[in-house]
Every structure is written in C-alpha cells, then in structure tokens.
Amino acid sequence: QVQLVESGGGLVQAGDSLRLSCAASGRTFSSYAMAWFRQPPGKEREFVAAINWTGGSSSCADSVKGRFTSSRDNAKNTVYLQMNSLKPEDTAVYFCAAGLTYTRMPEAYHYWGQGTQVTVSA
C-alpha cells in the first residue's frame, strides 16, 4: 500500500512558477513509476508527466513540454513537478499517482493522491 500526499498548489499569475511535491509513504517508493495528471474544471483528467523508478527517464505531455519537469528523490520518497511559465490553461487539480508500469496511461497507476489545486490568473 502506498499513500500519496500532494502539496505546493496555489494561486499564481501567468508566467509564474510553482513546484508541486508528492510525498509517498512506504518503503518501496523506488519500486514505483510516478506520474502527474491534472483535471481542468469541467474537463477529463489528462496526463501531464511521468518518471520512471530511478528518475533516469521521464516524459511529459506536449502541452507542457519545455515548461514542466518531473523529478524524484527516492531517499525522500518524494516526486516533484516543477512548473514554469504557467498559463491560465494550466489551471486544474493536479494529482500524483504511483504504479508498477512507466506509462502515460492512468489505468496503470494503482495509487493516487487527493490532488492539489493550481489556479493561474491571466
């Protein structure tokens, strides 16, 4: 069992930066691929970024490429999402997720956090 707790969300202006953190419980954190998803208001949940078990491989959605970066610190059981040059369309609830497969597919992730709200004003 893995429990995930996101933090770092908030209200910012367009062009600002935020760093989201996702702290995981359990001693097997390094066994899990981690991902970030988001759900904009009134829309479906969508993939944002994923990072593999070691942090040596990561991917992100085209909509955030060049602006968002995922990283992890296995010693701290934490995964991060650095978000730069934020845009109003990045407004969403952001979720972190853990799974045994490094993929963009949400169905592959077994554990999910409660989410943290990110609001970007124009």
Side-chain angles (χ1 to χ4, degrees):
Q1 187 79 6
V2 177
Q3 292 185 322
L4 304 173
V5 178
E6 302 97 336
S7 61
L11 171 63
V12 296
Q13 294 187 327
D16 286 351
S17 297
L18 274 178
R19 188 176 79 158
L20 304 183
S21 299
C22 174
S25 65
R27 293 176 290 178
T28 59
F29 176 72
S30 60
S31 301
Y32 290 92
M34 301 296 296
W36 292 93
F37 293 84
R38 68 186 181 185
Q39 187 163 16
K43 296 185 178 181
E44 298 283 320
R45 186 164 50 188
E46 62 187 29
F47 170 78
V48 177
I51 189 164
N52 76 344
W53 311 268
T54 65
S57 183
S58 63
S59 67
C60 61
D62 288 345
S63 59
V64 305
K65 195 165 292 183
R67 300 188 299 122
F68 291 14
T69 304
S70 60
S71 62
R72 67 190 295 163
D73 185 338
N74 286 345
K76 296 182 177 180
N77 281 13
T78 303
V79 63
Y80 305 97
L81 183 67
Q82 178 66 43
M83 307 186 294
N84 298 327
S85 302
L86 283 160
K87 303 176 181 181
E89 50 263 44
D90 294 319
T91 294
V93 178
Y94 283 73
F95 300 89
C96 69
L100 298 177
T101 303
Y102 171 53
T103 177
R104 298 182 173 208
M105 305 301 293
E107 313 80 80
Y109 290 90
H110 312 293
Y111 303 104
W112 292 78
Q114 294 296 313
T116 186
Q117 177 71 47
V118 172
T119 303
V120 185
S121 63

